[in-house]
Amino acid sequence: MPRFLSSRPDSRLIPLPWELPLSQWPEDHLVALPRGISRHVVRFIKVGNAVYAAKEVLEHLALHEYRLLTELHRAGTPSVEPLAVITGRLGSEDQPLDPVLVTRHLEFSLPYRSLFAQGVRSETVGRLLDALVLLLARLHLVGFLWGDVSLSNVLFRRDAGEFAAYLVDAETGEMHPRLTDGQREHDLAIATTNLFGEFCDLEAGKLLDDSLDPQRLVDSILARYRELWAELTGAEEFSDTEMFRIEKRVRRLNALGFDVAELAIDTSPDGSRLRIQPKVVDAGHHSRRLLRLTGLDVEENQARRLLNDLDTFRARSNQASVDEAVVAHRWVTESFAPVVAAVPDDLRGKREGAQIFHEVLDYRWYASQREQREVPLLEATAGYIRDVLTTLPDEAIAPEAVHLDGRQLANPYDPSAGFVDDSDEPMPVDPWEDIEESEPEPGPAYLDIDALRARSKPSPQ
Amino acid sequence: MATVSFQQATRVYPGGDKPAVDKLELEIGDGEFMVLVGPSGCGKSTSLRMLAGLEEVNEGKIFIGDRDVTDLPPKDRDIAMVFQNYALYPHMTVADNMGFALKMAGIPKAERDTRVMEAAKLLGLEEFLARKPKALSGGQRQRVAMGRAIVRQPQVFLMDEPLSNLDAKLRVSTRTQISALVTRLGVTTVYVTHDQIEAMTMGDRVAVMKDGLLQQVDSPLALYDHPANLFVAGFIGSPAMNLIEGKIVEGGVRVGDFVMPVAREILAKAAGEDSLVLGVRPENLVVAEQGLAIDVDLVEELGADGYVYGTMAGLDTAEKLKAQQIVARISTRTPPQRGTSVKLNVADPKLMHVFSKATQQRLND
């Protein structure tokens, strides 16, 4: 009988056909969603209304990843939510099957390949890299050594005009109390190599805009990371006449989306010089504030945009003296909720609520400019739904999987199986594989000391 | 290619009360395959990461060739961590999948092609170079990953439990392939594993670590035949060496009602101690007229040989459960039967290992 390890048990997982290898699961349990190529068997499975990702891996890896993801999730780092590890699986002939790690599918998430398949402008690539670098810095801040930084191991979500990156593969990760510079440099070296490979691959697949050069893109990752890391952790020294620089530093960190939980301030013995260094910073400056005021849980840049709109709402409705939480409540009921409610059910899979609100605000700004009048919010919403939303692809359950990179997949559930139009010429003969085939199954775990002695005979001790 | 030298290299984790790696002194020869082995927490992985630049060296130094790399960032050390990057890119050919990092390093195309071709020949992948990677088997993917490290032509390969993510069958074949490749390439390699069988079958030399301390470094056979202390004796070999404690008496060590003869000069080294630990490999025990009386609990036959598992004779059931297991490899056509008693002795007194119980160190040569 399979055994379920989970801190949030979902009983609907239990009746699934665990006695079958994932690659043989019947289609009525599967969903074709866009995803990267994996060295393991990965399938998206339907469980009630929810979609989960299932990955077949060796037991120690499955448990390791489950625990790491749980830890990252607890630390509030953007990563997929682990749900369960199913061990002790036996096949129909009682042969043992590898355990399965189940994670929640991140709604409205986009693998980089499906973004590039739609054609990506160079600013968008910059935004994707910014999101990846921010994720990497946040992981490094909590002591997570990733070990396999790559676009394939990340999912992107729209975040107002930017992107938010989520870690999806923690297999190679390690949690440390604090990372050394060498560990961070190691992750960066892996990141540049992997991303260079991924960009070259997109280039080879004619999916990378000609104006983009893989080398320059990866160089920019290093520059972006180092700049961000210096701002988040670097020390700054100034004279006592420049006290305003403390406030300035905090504001810069807020603008980057971070709250300063601990700032070390040291003064020189005579008090004429100061040295400040952030010791603990927490991401989510804007999203936390919005959550506190409105209960809305959205991405950081969406929160920034919504908070700006909330401030405008407050100023316009002359409520400057009213308690912020009261105003926030009115803003939700009078602005935010009506816009989201106006979206017809069949279009809700295109974008999530906060992103729609952000896009409506953009739409209204352009419409107002164009028509030289202030377009009311609900009118703008109707226009946005008509002109924009209906033309967008469904991103909740995106259909690109079947046409990944503009080509049709041989197996819609498994991009690793290649494309329909791939040539099917026979594989060349591989003498090494033949040797492997003829090797006996590994026997009991004994050290064959006689073989070892025989091997080292030519050079007697 | 280069030598690697750890000189009193020490790593103390912040807040740690004792070093994770304590004054490691290890010289690795040019082209040598050195395996670091030990139980979890012994410092083997930390040592490798100090060499890679991932862990700070708090005291001591590390050299690659005649370069002091102690404070260099990882990318300036001219090392390659093998198998850290498995991903295969579907639009690129196998050749490009192997050589793309050289392009990033600015190496000219002609040179890249030469290096990729050389690596492909070594890896049996020439026929695959022009193909896309989609239909490659697990083993072939492993070899492409290996190829990525080979084309970089580093001074040192570093491998941190590279086989732990593979299933049992792929593990055995990849093990053989790595050994063969590294021998042919002649590149200095440092390989970390917790598996002593892997260590013994792969390494030119094996460094056994425990609690941050290097216990012994030697060829696999020397470790097997001359373990320097009780830890190495028990850790190397499988089934493990029988380690039997006994009281020092005139002419030897008494175990149960039998006195195992131990030479006077060895006993003299244990002045002031009243007990010693005797070590005998399972294959060095024979059924004899005189010897340790053993109750046979299990006989496992493997072809011409059999392993006999038992406990000291004359114990009651409760004692038996707690008693130490004795294992002997018996190559007779009529192995002892389960439930019977046999007497076991050392085939040749020279094959017995004698350890001090107090210092845990080896006493005989």
Side-chain angles (χ1 to χ4, degrees):
Chain A
M1 266 306 283
R3 191 164 162 261
F4 293 76
L5 172 93
S6 176
S7 58
R8 283 173 294 276
D10 181 341
S11 60
R12 297 173 302 177
L13 283 172
I14 295 171
L16 293 174
W18 299 111
E19 71 287 357
L20 292 175
L22 263 186
S23 58
Q24 294 171 21
W25 276 32
E27 286 189 12
D28 50 347
H29 289 295
L30 303 181
V31 191
L33 285 177
R35 64 172 178 86
I37 288 188
S38 169
R39 60 193 121 107
H40 304 290
V41 179
V42 178
R43 293 288 184 272
F44 290 107
I45 55 176
K46 261 185 293 201
V47 179
N49 294 327
V51 175
Y52 296 164
K55 171 160 90 167
E56 219 163 47
V57 276
L58 296 180
E59 178 155 343
H60 72 275
L61 291 178
L63 295 175
H64 171 76
E65 191 167 2
Y66 178 82
R67 289 180 185 137
L68 266 184
L69 286 174
T70 306
E71 218 172 319
L72 286 175
H73 217 68
R74 209 173 284 151
T77 319
S79 46
V80 291
E81 182 190 352
L83 290 169
V85 176
I86 293 95
T87 57
R89 296 169 66 212
L90 288 179
S92 49
E93 284 156 28
D94 276 357
Q95 77 280 22
L97 299 175
D98 278 338
V100 171
L101 170 71
V102 181
T103 52
R104 189 184 301 283
H105 173 63
L106 193 63
E107 280 203 310
F108 294 99
S109 62
L110 302 158
Y112 80 101
R113 282 182 181 279
S114 72
L115 281 165
F116 278 88
Q118 297 166 11
V120 175
R121 288 174 304 160
S122 81
E123 307 91 82
T124 312
V125 179
R127 291 190 183 115
L128 293 173
L129 294 183
D130 278 337
L132 181 72
V133 164
L134 179 62
L135 173 65
L136 185 59
R138 287 184 64 179
L139 291 166
H140 285 174
L141 281 175
V142 298
F144 183 81
L145 178 67
W146 193 340
D148 198 9
V149 190
S150 70
L151 290 170
S152 301
N153 287 340
V154 158
L155 283 174
F156 294 98
R157 285 173 93 168
R158 293 187 191 281
D159 178 11
E162 308 290 321
F163 287 95
Y166 283 72
L167 174 141
V168 281
D169 190 325
E171 202 176 298
T172 50
E174 292 169 15
M175 207 52 134
H176 296 266
R178 197 185 72 85
L179 293 188
T180 64
D181 290 346
Q183 285 167 328
R184 293 190 302 104
E185 288 297 322
H186 176 70
D187 250 3
L188 279 176
I190 292 173
T192 47
T193 309
N194 282 350
L195 269 83
F196 186 77
E198 287 170 327
F199 286 129
C200 287
D201 187 51
L202 289 169
E203 203 174 40
K206 311 223 178 325
L207 295 165
L208 194 68
D209 194 285
D210 289 341
S211 66
L212 294 168
D213 169 35
Q215 186 72 55
R216 281 220 298 280
L217 287 172
V218 297
D219 289 345
S220 80
I221 298 171
L222 290 178
R224 285 162 205 251
Y225 175 88
R226 293 197 205 289
E227 196 183 331
L228 177 61
W229 190 258
E231 192 64 76
L232 292 175
T233 64
E236 209 177 323
E237 255 191 66
F238 42 84
S239 86
D240 60 351
T241 57
E242 299 175 290
M243 292 288 207
F244 62 89
R245 287 179 64 172
I246 300 177
E247 175 73 14
K248 213 170 148 189
R249 178 72 177 266
V250 173
R251 280 176 186 272
R252 282 207 309 271
L253 285 166
N254 289 164
L256 285 169
F258 287 84
D259 280 323
V260 182
E262 257 182 54
L263 184 72
I265 306 177
D266 296 308
T267 46
S268 62
D270 64 354
S272 68
R273 305 279 306 163
L274 277 91
R275 184 175 183 277
I276 60 168
Q277 185 172 23
K279 289 292 178 191
V280 184
V281 291
D282 296 322
H285 172 72
H286 299 98
S287 54
R288 252 196 310 278
R289 182 165 164 240
L290 186 74
L291 182 67
R292 183 166 50 78
L293 287 171
T294 64
L296 294 173
D297 191 3
V298 306
E299 298 288 349
E300 181 66 12
N301 289 302
Q302 292 169 342
R304 194 192 303 255
R305 189 75 200 270
L306 267 52
L307 286 168
N308 279 342
D309 191 60
L310 170 59
D311 288 342
T312 314
F313 176 82
R314 187 179 197 180
R316 285 184 176 202
S317 50
N318 278 324
Q319 300 186 77
S321 56
V322 181
D323 185 87
E324 197 181 26
V326 175
V327 182
H329 178 73
R330 279 194 203 137
W331 172 81
V332 170
T333 48
E334 290 169 30
S335 288
F336 184 80
V339 168
V340 175
V343 178
D345 280 349
D346 59 327
L347 298 181
R348 282 173 194 257
K350 308 257 185 195
R351 291 281 191 273
E352 49 147 356
Q355 185 65 22
I356 286 181
F357 191 79
H358 156 77
E359 292 182 10
V360 166
L361 291 181
D362 274 359
Y363 182 91
R364 181 173 67 162
W365 191 84
Y366 285 113
S368 304
Q369 292 290 308
R370 197 173 52 235
E371 297 172 27
Q372 295 289 311
R373 68 174 176 112
E374 173 137 344
V375 176
L377 192 57
L378 283 179
E379 187 186 328
T381 307
Y384 166 80
I385 292 168
R386 184 187 61 235
D387 302 342
V388 182
L389 196 59
T390 46
T391 67
L392 292 175
D394 235 5
E395 285 188 355
I397 304 283
E400 291 94 326
V402 196
H403 296 278
L404 182 76
D405 303 353
R407 298 165 69 189
Q408 191 170 3
L409 287 170
N411 177 349
Y413 307 106
D414 186 5
S416 310
F419 302 97
V420 168
D421 54 351
D422 274 338
S423 61
D424 271 327
E425 53 185 289
M427 288 291 275
V429 177
D430 183 351
W432 290 38
E433 292 272 290
D434 294 343
I435 295 168
E436 253 171 61
E437 285 304 312
S438 60
E439 262 176 36
E441 288 287 330
Y446 288 129
L447 174 64
D448 192 347
I449 189 68
D450 299 334
L452 200 61
R453 285 191 202 282
R455 211 178 65 191
S456 44
K457 271 240 171 79
S459 52
Q461 301 262 316
Chain B
M1 277 168 269
T3 57
V4 170
S5 160
F6 289 86
Q7 300 180 359
Q8 300 288 306
T10 299
R11 170 67 175 148
V12 186
Y13 284 112
D17 49 357
K18 67 186 181 65
V21 174
D22 196 355
K23 297 196 172 58
L24 177 62
E25 191 72 32
L26 183 62
E27 298 288 331
I28 301 168
D30 190 358
E32 189 173 25
F33 193 123
M34 173 66 78
V35 181
L36 309 183
V37 70
S40 134
C42 71
K44 56 187 188 298
S45 212
T46 307
S47 305
L48 183 92
R49 286 153 179 241
M50 288 158 78
L51 174 57
L54 272 64
E55 293 287 356
E56 284 159 25
V57 178
N58 302 101
E59 273 173 49
K61 289 191 178 310
I62 297 177
F63 282 80
I64 295 177
D66 48 15
R67 261 186 342 141
D68 181 349
V69 299
T70 314
D71 298 312
L72 286 185
K75 64 175 169 39
D76 298 338
R77 296 190 179 205
D78 204 2
I79 48 171
M81 294 275 263
V82 182
F83 295 127
Q84 66 186 12
N85 174 338
Y86 281 90
L88 292 183
Y89 303 114
H91 294 296
M92 281 159 44
T93 60
V94 168
D96 288 341
N97 264 286
M98 275 165 65
F100 74 90
L102 298 181
K103 191 172 166 194
M104 189 169 80
I107 291 166
K109 178 147 193 346
E111 168 78 12
R112 290 194 319 250
D113 291 348
T114 314
R115 290 203 202 173
V116 167
M117 183 46 96
E118 279 171 10
K121 276 186 195 156
L122 275 172
L123 292 159
L125 289 171
E126 291 157 276
E127 300 289 319
F128 292 82
L129 284 180
R131 290 182 70 98
K132 301 284 169 64
K134 71 147 183 161
L136 295 188
S137 71
Q140 290 163 338
R141 283 161 185 258
Q142 289 286 314
R143 280 185 269 153
V144 175
M146 187 82 199
R148 279 185 185 158
I150 293 175
V151 297
R152 291 180 46 196
Q153 304 185 340
Q155 302 237 38
V156 185
F157 284 137
L158 304 184
M159 307 193 198
D160 192 354
E161 302 264 10
L163 308 182
S164 64
N165 296 352
L166 306 180
D167 63 43
K169 191 164 182 206
L170 199 50
R171 198 150 58 219
V172 172
S173 60
T174 309
R175 182 162 95 190
T176 319
Q177 291 172 4
I178 291 177
S179 292
L181 264 175
V182 170
T183 308
R184 285 172 72 183
L185 284 166
V187 176
T188 313
T189 301
V190 185
Y191 185 107
V192 164
T193 177
H194 66 282
D195 180 344
Q196 54 99 9
I197 299 182
E198 206 171 295
M200 295 288 279
T201 45
M202 295 182 82
D204 291 332
R205 283 194 302 156
V206 177
V208 184
M209 297 184 71
K210 181 193 169 231
D211 296 337
L213 292 166
L214 179 63
Q215 304 290 309
Q216 187 174 2
V217 51
D218 221 322
S219 71
L221 280 182
L223 284 180
Y224 192 84
D225 293 335
H226 291 276
N229 59 38
L230 270 174
F231 175 77
V232 177
F235 187 76
I236 297 292
S238 127
M241 182 188 283
N242 296 294
L243 295 169
I244 308 159
E245 193 183 322
K247 292 257 181 268
I248 299 178
V249 294
E250 183 59 34
V253 170
R254 175 184 292 280
V255 181
D257 53 8
F258 181 69
V259 175
M260 299 281 268
V262 176
R264 194 173 300 278
E265 61 270 25
I266 299 172
L267 292 179
K269 291 185 192 168
E273 298 185 45
D274 57 2
S275 296
L276 290 179
V277 180
L278 305 178
V280 189
R281 296 271 175 214
E283 66 271 26
N284 296 334
L285 283 171
V286 287
V287 177
E289 293 282 304
Q290 298 289 314
L292 297 171
I294 301 294
D295 286 342
V296 177
D297 297 328
L298 179 71
V299 179
E300 192 178 25
E301 287 188 62
L302 299 165
D305 289 343
Y307 283 102
V308 174
Y309 296 84
T311 41
M312 302 287 282
L315 304 176
D316 64 32
T317 319
E319 286 172 320
K320 244 188 185 347
L321 284 174
K322 283 184 286 180
Q324 184 190 355
Q325 194 174 52
I326 306 285
V327 187
R329 184 168 125 189
I330 308 289
S331 51
T332 72
R333 260 153 290 166
T334 51
Q337 293 303 301
R338 189 177 157 204
T340 61
S341 245
V342 287
K343 287 194 168 146
L344 296 176
N345 206 337
V346 188
D348 177 345
K350 282 187 294 195
L351 297 172
M352 191 164 72
H353 310 260
V354 185
F355 300 95
S356 157
K357 195 187 162 200
T359 66
Q360 311 264 302
Q361 298 301 306
R362 182 186 188 85
L363 296 178
N364 59 334
D365 299 325

